[in-house]
Amino acid sequence: MQVRDVMTRDVVTVGPETSAKYAAEVMAGRGYAALPVVDGDYQLVGIVAEADVLQDRLPSDPRLHLRREEAGPEQPPPLLVRGVMTVGVRTVDSGADVADVAHLFIDERLRSVPVLEDGRLVGIVSRRDLLAALARPDAEIRHDVLDLVEDYTGDVGCWSVQVVEGVATIGRTRGRPGISAEVEEGALRSLAHTVTGVVSVRILRHPEEAAGRRRATAPAMVVDASAGDAAR
């Protein structure tokens, strides 16, 4: 599963000259943790997060402090996004593996990252997007897996696909593979893992195929001819 399969495409962005207060309003109103900052050509130049606009914008309430600080000239915080944004942003490519992004979120404690394609911003992927993928109904996942399996093998109506809690179980009910069973199993496993919401894959062999495999691998019986000779 790739990032482009789960990312949010309709990204709300701001420019470097956008008001920092407006960026705060957007994040508060829409529940965003951060906003990509882009220039006129949609090139990513930074990112502004909740913490960036919170810094130095909530002065202490003098009524709640016993010791009053000496009054002095106040320096207002940066008023534009360019003064608070983070540059050198961590990004991912739209074709990146979602599993790698999940590790990135966990290891680096990130909540979202911009998604680039040919250097331009095309979306944003967040922890919530990954959770939404995991939360897909099993019936929808099963439908997608079955379509891929039947398209790949050309054997329509010859497969049993069950999905429980995101775990897909695939098995032949009729027919035999046109290739080796091992190659077909590997292909089916790879195909199923491309479906959004699949967390694990089990492949069940057709009963006849499994029986043939057991016969092929069963140890040969050794007859001790000397024991018969001794009995005569």
Side-chain angles (χ1 to χ4, degrees):
M1 185 165 45
Q2 297 177 317
V3 169
R4 61 169 58 95
D5 299 323
V6 300
M7 70 183 188
T8 299
R9 296 180 180 273
D10 296 328
V11 187
V12 176
T13 63
V14 292
E17 304 304 313
T18 301
S19 160
K21 183 174 183 177
Y22 173 75
E25 291 173 0
V26 172
M27 285 188 280
R30 303 201 183 193
Y32 297 151
L35 298 174
V37 184
V38 297
D39 62 13
D41 195 31
Y42 235 62
Q43 296 290 324
L44 186 71
V45 296
I47 194 165
V48 58
E50 296 165 323
D52 296 326
V53 293
L54 280 174
Q55 187 172 358
D56 299 328
R57 279 179 168 76
L58 294 174
S60 301
D61 187 334
R63 298 170 301 176
L64 303 179
H65 298 271
L66 294 177
R67 189 181 68 181
R68 296 179 181 273
E69 297 179 356
E70 293 183 5
E74 290 190 5
Q75 293 296 325
L79 302 181
L80 301 179
V81 165
R82 61 178 167 81
V84 298
M85 70 182 189
T86 299
V87 296
V89 185
R90 194 71 156 88
T91 64
V92 295
D93 188 79
S94 62
D97 191 334
V98 168
D100 294 335
V101 177
H103 286 299
L104 177 66
F105 286 161
I106 295 169
D107 295 342
E108 300 192 19
R109 299 182 180 275
L110 299 175
R111 295 179 62 182
S112 63
V113 290
V115 182
L116 302 184
E117 198 168 274
D118 298 326
R120 300 187 65 190
L121 181 73
V122 293
I124 193 165
V125 61
S126 66
R127 291 185 182 185
R128 187 174 300 176
D129 292 324
L130 301 193
L131 289 175
L134 291 177
R136 281 191 78 201
D138 286 338
E140 291 183 10
I141 299 172
R142 176 190 177 278
H143 179 272
D144 290 351
V145 172
L146 182 59
D147 278 353
L148 283 176
V149 169
E150 291 185 338
D151 286 347
Y152 169 73
T153 62
D155 297 332
V156 179
C158 298
W159 295 94
S160 169
V161 175
Q162 301 296 326
V163 179
V164 179
E165 296 294 315
V167 178
T169 302
I170 307 169
R172 265 192 182 274
T173 57
R174 291 189 291 117
R176 289 183 177 276
I179 53 179
S180 72
E182 288 77 10
V183 171
E184 183 176 77
E185 286 181 14
L188 295 180
R189 191 180 304 278
S190 296
L191 283 172
H193 274 299
T194 67
V195 174
T196 303
V198 169
V199 299
S200 182
V201 179
R202 296 174 61 225
I203 307 294
L204 302 180
R205 280 185 175 267
H206 188 280
E208 294 181 8
E209 182 70 28
R213 188 177 186 183
R214 285 196 296 270
R215 287 194 297 270
T217 57
M221 182 177 293
V222 178
V223 178
D224 187 351
S226 63
D229 293 339
R232 283 197 293 269

